[in-house]
Amino acid sequence: VLDGVHLFLSMPAKKSVRRLSSSKKKDAPKADKPPPEKVEELPLVIPEAPTVRWVTLSIRLVTWNYLNFSMRVPLTTKVIEVRDRIVARHGGSVVADDVRMYKDSVSQRNLIRDLMVSLQDLDLHTSIGDDDVEECVMLYDYAPMAECPLLLAEPPTYRYELETKMIKQMEAERKAATARSKREKSERDSVAHRHSSAAATHAAAGSGAGSASAGAATTAA
């Protein structure tokens, strides 16, 4: 009621919803579904891990041998990695750019100029060691950091001096043995001569006594 006026609101009639029974739902035709596609199953292939060859790399200094060392590395190792190990071996007293590296032997054609190649790319000559392990040789040299006469001088040949000393000692021992052998032989000859002289004297004395007794017997007769 609004100010004495009656308002009548009409509500819309409810629509009846017709539902299908469950039996009718079951009887309703179904749409044909396409058959599932067959997926071809391929066998699982696991790729083999690439085989890496390992070698014993013998690193030798050209002028000295007290810093020689060996390390076990794969052939995929870069030359620059070996160079860094050499610099670390010298305790920082060598400038990396001054290190010259050679493969197999020291010659201009064996000088390694590209440090980013691997040992496998260098085609190093390998040999089989005592433990059936491949071994290869790499040599290096470096320029001294200072113009020091001690660094520029040739290293002393201690091994040659030792070998010379040993040869002289062996020669002296051989001469002493020869002299001792001669002396012993001379002594044996002297003893033999004395024995033979004594035997000859004894034989002569025996024969003289026999002659004297024979003469005395003749005189008595």
Side-chain angles (χ1 to χ4, degrees):
V1 178
L2 182 59
D3 295 335
V5 180
H6 294 274
L7 296 179
F8 298 94
L9 299 176
S10 61
M11 300 295 293
K14 293 183 180 179
K15 294 181 179 180
S16 59
V17 179
R18 187 177 182 182
R19 297 182 180 178
L20 296 175
S21 61
S22 60
S23 61
K24 291 183 178 181
K25 287 183 179 180
K26 291 181 181 179
D27 296 338
K30 296 181 179 179
D32 295 336
K33 295 182 179 180
E37 296 181 358
K38 293 183 178 180
V39 179
E40 184 179 358
E41 295 183 359
L42 299 177
L44 180 61
V45 178
I46 301 176
E48 296 182 357
T51 56
V52 180
R53 289 172 55 195
W54 288 71
V55 295
T56 300
L57 182 62
S58 178
I59 303 175
R60 305 174 184 176
L61 181 58
V62 174
T63 53
W64 299 80
N65 57 7
Y66 71 99
L67 283 175
N68 296 350
F69 65 99
S70 300
M71 59 181 182
R72 184 87 172 143
V73 294
L75 284 178
T76 54
T77 304
K78 302 292 184 182
V79 177
I80 192 171
E81 298 178 27
V82 180
R83 196 272 310 270
D84 294 341
R85 290 288 299 274
I86 293 173
V87 174
R89 180 85 173 175
H90 284 263
S93 61
V94 176
V95 179
D97 294 337
D98 293 337
V99 177
R100 297 181 297 270
M101 305 179 68
Y102 305 87
K103 67 171 188 176
D104 300 332
S105 61
V106 180
S107 64
Q108 195 63 26
R109 62 185 179 88
N110 288 338
L111 179 63
I112 304 172
R113 304 182 186 278
D114 187 3
L115 302 181
M116 298 308 298
V117 298
S118 64
L119 300 180
Q120 189 171 4
D121 297 333
L122 292 177
D123 193 18
L124 293 171
H125 175 72
T126 59
S127 59
I128 304 299
D130 298 334
D131 299 333
D132 295 335
V133 176
E134 287 186 291
E135 298 179 352
C136 53
V137 177
M138 182 176 290
L139 300 102
Y140 74 96
D141 194 7
Y142 62 92
M145 296 180 62
E147 297 296 331
C148 177
L150 294 177
L151 296 177
L152 297 175
E154 290 292 330
T157 54
Y158 294 113
R159 182 175 180 180
Y160 174 77
E161 294 177 359
L162 180 61
E163 290 179 352
T164 304
K165 184 178 179 180
M166 291 178 63
I167 291 174
K168 290 182 179 180
Q169 184 177 357
M170 293 172 63
E171 185 68 19
E173 292 177 355
R174 187 184 64 82
K175 289 181 179 180
T178 302
R180 184 169 57 254
S181 177
K182 288 182 178 179
R183 186 170 60 254
E184 291 175 355
K185 185 177 181 301
S186 177
E187 291 177 356
R188 287 196 300 270
D189 293 344
S190 177
V191 171
H193 179 70
R194 286 198 301 268
H195 283 213
S196 61
S197 298
T201 303
H202 182 69
S207 62
S211 300
S213 58
T218 303
T219 301

